[in-house]
């Protein structure tokens, strides 16, 4: 953890790193468990339904029961599937999702890895999940799964391009790809945060991030009406759970990344509120982004695949490039 260890790698330091890794894993698994619960509750509230209310007080153990059911279900592998790749794909999807969390700074002194190219590390590692999804669809030896995998790859690659370009303006203004450095340079007043001067990049980033998460209104890879659940149609039990876990871990990662890049990280929205610990502000902003993602799912209908690709290539990509040019002109003319 940042500030706690020196640069010398010893067995003691390695044990502490491992311990903190286990702590992060437990926290993320707890987030996934109750993000699913609150998503069902919030969408139920929006649609005038009750939501989970049977298992445990207020239904708090419903997701735990669902996860237990997945873990003890029979693990089936299609007879003509590529067994090695079929078993590898869920793990290959989840490991990068968890690995990207290493570079997220929660406060100025609370972080796991402080690397100079933290943003580049995030983008590079998250791209591996696309390969895992294609691999899962292809290894299933099922035409529906293959179609879902290819459609998912096309969507994720198409939206990764504007997603990356949308943060170039933030990098230009901050002069660094270090996530902690980007958060530190945003002041203690909300109008100093990057989401205002980078409003175009912020909008493009949010839309592209929702598509990267394969969530409504961009949940075409899992469009049950056409694809019989998409690339993971042949998966069951804990392997299916790994794919679902990946989606919610990425929700955690995207919410944290949005907070750091555009919403001031751990900074208070008003300077006189800086007596509140930074981690509290970070968690409040993080929760707001997660709620926004759930709100979208409960509100928006799924769009068609031609609308999806057109939005990515014809609207978001030009806007992201325009944002880079506008930022460059601003820095050249007004920033000495």
């Amino acid at each position: 953890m940042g500030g706690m260890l020196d640069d010398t790698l010893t067995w003691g330091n390695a044990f502490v790193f491992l311990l903190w890794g286990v702590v992060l894993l437990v926290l993320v698994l707890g987030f996934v468990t109750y993000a699913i619960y609150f998503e069902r509750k919030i969408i139920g509230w929006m649609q005038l339904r009750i939501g989970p209310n049977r298992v445990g007080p207020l239904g708090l153990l419903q997701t735990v029961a669902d996860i237990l059911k997945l873990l003890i279900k029979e693990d089936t592998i299609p007879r003509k599937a590529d067994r090695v790749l079929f078993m590898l794909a869920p793990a290959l999807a989840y490991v990068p999702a968890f690995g990207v969390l290493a570079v997220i700074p929660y406060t100025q002194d609370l972080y796991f890895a402080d690397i100079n190219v933290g943003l580049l590390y995030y983008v590079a590692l998250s791209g591996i999940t696309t390969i895992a999804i294609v691999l899962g669809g292809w290894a299933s030896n099922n035409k529906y799964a293959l179609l879902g995998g290819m459609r998912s790859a096309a969507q994720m690659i198409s939206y990764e391009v504007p997603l990356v370009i949308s943060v170039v303006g933030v990098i230009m203004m901050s002069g660094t790809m270090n996530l902690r450095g980007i958060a530190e340079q945003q002041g203690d007043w909300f109008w100093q945060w990057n989401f205002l001067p980078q409003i175009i990049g912020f909008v493009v980033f949010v839309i592209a991030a929702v598509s990267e998460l394969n969530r409504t209104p961009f949940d075409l890879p899992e469009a049950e009406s056409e694809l019989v659940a998409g690339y993971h149609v042949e998966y069951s039990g804990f392997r299916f759970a790994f794919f679902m876990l990946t989606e919610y871990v990425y929700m955690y990662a995207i919410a944290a990344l949005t907070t750091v890049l555009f919403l001031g990280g751990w900074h208070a929205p008003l300077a006189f509120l800086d007596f509140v610990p930074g981690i509290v502000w970070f968690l409040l902003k993080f929760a707001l982004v997660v709620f926004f993602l759930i709100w979208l799912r409960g509100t928006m209908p799924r769009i068609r695949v031609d609308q999806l690709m057109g939005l990515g290539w014809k609207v978001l990509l030009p806007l992201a490039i325009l944002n880079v040019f506008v930022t460059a002109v601003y820095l050249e003319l007004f920033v000495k």
Side-chain angles (χ1 to χ4, degrees):
M1 193 62 88
M4 296 182 183
L5 303 173
D6 56 31
D7 295 331
T8 305
L9 183 61
T10 65
W11 284 107
N13 283 355
F15 176 75
V16 173
F17 277 125
L18 179 62
L19 186 62
W20 277 116
V22 172
V23 169
L24 179 62
L25 179 62
V26 171
L27 290 175
V28 170
L29 291 177
F31 165 81
V32 170
T33 301
Y34 285 98
I36 296 172
Y37 168 79
F38 283 111
E39 181 164 26
R40 295 168 72 179
K41 275 290 190 183
I42 291 170
I43 294 177
W45 169 66
M46 290 177 175
Q47 298 174 347
L48 299 180
R49 296 184 289 105
I50 297 174
N53 68 336
R54 295 291 183 181
V55 185
L58 303 176
L60 285 169
L61 298 179
Q62 179 63 59
T63 308
V64 177
D66 292 339
I67 293 172
L68 180 62
K69 181 188 74 172
L70 283 175
L71 293 177
I72 62 177
K73 281 183 71 174
E74 181 182 2
D75 176 35
T76 59
I77 300 178
R79 185 160 53 90
K80 293 187 178 180
D82 187 318
R83 293 183 64 87
V84 175
L85 296 182
F86 186 87
M87 292 186 289
L88 177 65
L92 193 61
Y94 173 72
V95 170
F98 184 69
V100 298
L101 303 181
V103 292
I104 300 293
Y106 300 96
T107 68
Q108 190 168 8
D109 300 314
L110 187 63
Y111 55 87
F112 285 85
D114 185 31
I115 59 179
N116 291 330
V117 289
L119 192 53
L120 189 62
Y121 167 90
Y122 183 102
V123 171
L125 209 58
S126 62
I128 298 175
T129 300
T130 306
I131 301 172
I133 288 173
V134 175
L135 209 60
W138 183 83
S140 299
N141 195 28
N142 178 302
K143 291 182 177 63
Y144 291 109
L146 178 60
L147 181 60
M150 296 303 293
R151 223 157 74 156
S152 180
Q155 174 178 333
M156 295 178 77
I157 292 170
S158 298
Y159 279 81
E160 189 135 358
V161 176
L163 180 76
V164 173
I165 297 177
S166 68
V167 300
V168 171
V170 172
I171 296 170
M172 294 168 67
M173 293 186 66
S174 304
T176 179
M177 285 193 286
N178 181 295
L179 290 175
R180 192 163 67 100
I182 292 173
E184 282 179 345
Q185 292 188 28
Q186 300 175 70
D188 281 330
W189 300 97
F190 69 88
W191 55 81
Q192 296 175 328
W193 298 350
N194 286 331
F195 81 95
L196 283 177
Q198 287 291 306
I199 186 64
I200 299 175
F202 177 62
V203 171
V204 172
F205 179 87
V206 169
I207 297 173
V210 174
S211 182
E212 282 285 291
L213 291 172
N214 293 334
R215 291 177 60 85
T216 306
F218 305 109
D219 61 335
L220 273 75
E222 300 169 19
E224 293 89 348
S225 57
E226 308 109 61
L227 297 176
V228 200
Y231 58 89
H232 48 54
V233 64
E234 295 289 359
Y235 284 89
S236 64
F238 73 95
R239 299 189 204 283
F240 175 80
F242 259 89
F243 279 122
M244 291 297 97
L245 182 62
T246 299
E247 177 182 326
Y248 280 90
V249 172
Y250 269 126
M251 183 199 285
Y252 178 104
I254 283 292
L257 189 65
T258 306
T259 301
V260 170
L261 291 179
F262 294 100
L263 301 181
W266 53 86
H267 292 289
L270 299 170
F272 60 82
L273 296 174
D274 61 359
F275 64 90
V276 179
I279 187 65
V280 174
W281 290 119
F282 184 95
L283 291 176
L284 285 174
K285 297 170 191 176
F286 173 87
L288 181 65
V289 177
V290 172
F291 174 77
F292 173 75
L293 293 172
I294 295 173
W295 184 12
L296 272 185
R297 182 170 182 175
T299 306
M300 301 290 288
R302 182 190 304 132
I303 65 175
R304 297 196 314 263
V305 66
D306 59 315
Q307 296 171 328
L308 174 97
M309 301 304 281
L311 177 66
W313 291 108
K314 297 177 184 178
V315 179
L316 296 187
L317 182 58
L319 281 176
I321 295 173
L322 174 66
N323 181 62
V324 174
F325 279 102
V326 170
T327 304
V329 170
Y330 169 77
L331 293 175
E332 181 65 28
L333 296 180
F334 300 104
V335 179
K336 302 299 183 184

